[in-house]
């Protein structure tokens, strides 16, 4: 991060460096002597949760601003979906059959990155969860075109490093799922959801709920693979039951190919946020 300071007061970074070089005494090596903002044990305390939430929101917001990223295209999807060349390693036959969506995600990211490059990587920048599977495909497609892409990883007990196609300076790591999901959507100009599991479903319904309730401006919301989505979710039953309105089914579209998705995005006309929820 750059430090464009307007203050004449001594900056925190200088004090942090000075504190590292003080003479080693029983007093200076005591945990109580650490600068509060440099004390990891202190920052990890339960009482500091509000501060950590704020820091996690602010750090990545500042980094995105420094890179002058104004809008993103978000790709959600399963970490377990292999590339077609590796479908023989899939845990189930269904995952093997879904492997073509790896290539669709990669192709879609390539096409969107062409649009991003035309804006100087300010708009239409691909953003994924930074992991394997569909996420890797999205970052890989951006790298194919020589563009940048974002990876919003989260610390999990079994999590690996970010996939190797994420732009290093845009590889982020989160502790809080809630703040991570905010960053996914704060700059989202389109949301594309590929087949996936619990995490993908969580992200899908969080984003749809925000649009449904008028908390988020409508954007192109595309579900890749109608057969998959209609098999695992009975969308019509929700509308028939009255738990959602029939109009809510218009908040998203099914697509099968990267080209179809880009066509919908290119033809999109801006819409205003909902002022009321149909059916309420």
């Amino acid at each position: 991060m750059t430090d464009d300071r307007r203050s004449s007061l001594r900056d925190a970074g200088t004090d942090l460096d000075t504190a590292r070089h003080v003479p080693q005494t029983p007093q200076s090596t005591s945990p109580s002597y650490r600068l509060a903002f440099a004390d990891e044990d202190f920052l990890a305390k339960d009482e500091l949760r509000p501060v950590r939430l704020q820091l996690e929101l602010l750090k990545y917001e500042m980094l995105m601003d420094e890179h002058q990223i104004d809008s993103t295209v978000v790709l959600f999807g399963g970490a377990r979906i292999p590339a077609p060349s590796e479908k023989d390693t899939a845990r189930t036959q269904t995952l093997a059959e879904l492997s073509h969506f790896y290539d669709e995600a990669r192709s879609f990211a390539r096409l969107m990155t062409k649009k991003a490059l035309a804006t100087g990587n300010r708009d239409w920048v691909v953003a994924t969860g930074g992991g394997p599977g569909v996420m890797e495909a999205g970052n890989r497609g951006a790298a194919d075109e020589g563009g940048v892409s974002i990876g919003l990883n989260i610390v999990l007990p079994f999590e690996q490093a970010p996939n190797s196609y994420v732009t290093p300076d845009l590889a982020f790591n989160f502790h809080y799922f809630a703040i991570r999901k905010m960053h996914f959507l704060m700059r989202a100009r389109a949301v594309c959801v590929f087949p996936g599991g619990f995490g993908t479903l969580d992200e899908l319904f969080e984003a749809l709920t925000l649009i449904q309730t008028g908390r988020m401006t409508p954007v192109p919301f595309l579900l890749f693979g109608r057969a998959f989505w209609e098999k695992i979710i009975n969308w019509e039953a929700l509308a028939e039951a009255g738990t959602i309105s029939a109009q809510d089914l218009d908040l998203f579209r099914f697509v099968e190919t990267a080209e179809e998705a880009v066509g919908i995005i290119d033809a999109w006309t801006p819409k205003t946020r909902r002022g009321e929820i149909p059916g309420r």
Side-chain angles (χ1 to χ4, degrees), residues 40-58:
E40 292 182 358
D41 293 334
F42 172 67
L43 290 174
K45 288 181 176 293
D46 285 348
E47 294 86 347
L48 271 290
R49 183 174 292 115
V51 175
R52 291 195 300 273
L53 286 162
Q54 184 177 12
L55 288 173
E56 202 152 275
L57 179 63
L58 185 59

Side-chain angles (χ1 to χ4, degrees), residues 261-276:
V262 172
I264 292 172
I265 290 171
D266 286 345
W268 180 263
T269 55
K271 296 175 174 54
T272 59
R273 295 181 190 177
R274 280 184 168 180
E276 58 182 27

Side-chain angles (χ1 to χ4, degrees), residues 141-172:
D144 289 341
E145 288 297 322
V148 302
S149 68
I150 301 161
L152 283 72
N153 287 74
I154 191 160
V155 178
L156 299 172
F158 50 84
E159 189 57 83
Q160 67 294 310
N163 72 67
S164 61
Y165 301 102
V166 176
T167 300
D169 288 347
L170 296 172
F172 306 153

Side-chain angles (χ1 to χ4, degrees), residues 102-183:
Y102 182 103
D103 279 350
E104 291 300 336
R106 185 176 175 183
S107 296
F108 175 76
R110 273 202 307 266
L111 293 170
M112 297 312 300
T113 300
K114 288 181 180 179
K115 290 169 66 70
L117 288 169
T119 72
N121 290 317
R122 295 185 71 107
D123 291 301
W124 305 109
V125 177
V126 168
T128 80
V134 166
M135 295 172 279
E136 175 188 281
N139 297 117
R140 187 175 181 179
D144 289 341
E145 288 297 322
V148 302
S149 68
I150 301 161
L152 283 72
N153 287 74
I154 191 160
V155 178
L156 299 172
F158 50 84
E159 189 57 83
Q160 67 294 310
N163 72 67
S164 61
Y165 301 102
V166 176
T167 300
D169 288 347
L170 296 172
F172 306 153
N173 199 19
F174 290 85
H175 173 62
Y176 295 106
F177 269 102
I179 301 299
R180 178 176 178 254
K181 285 192 285 188
M182 284 186 67
H183 278 291

Side-chain angles (χ1 to χ4, degrees), residues 101 104-105 107-108 111 194 222 224-225 254-263:
F101 282 115
E104 291 300 336
S107 296
F108 175 76
L111 293 170
F194 292 79
L222 309 176
F224 277 75
F254 294 111
V255 297
E256 302 299 328
T257 68
E259 290 76 14
E260 184 183 0
V262 172

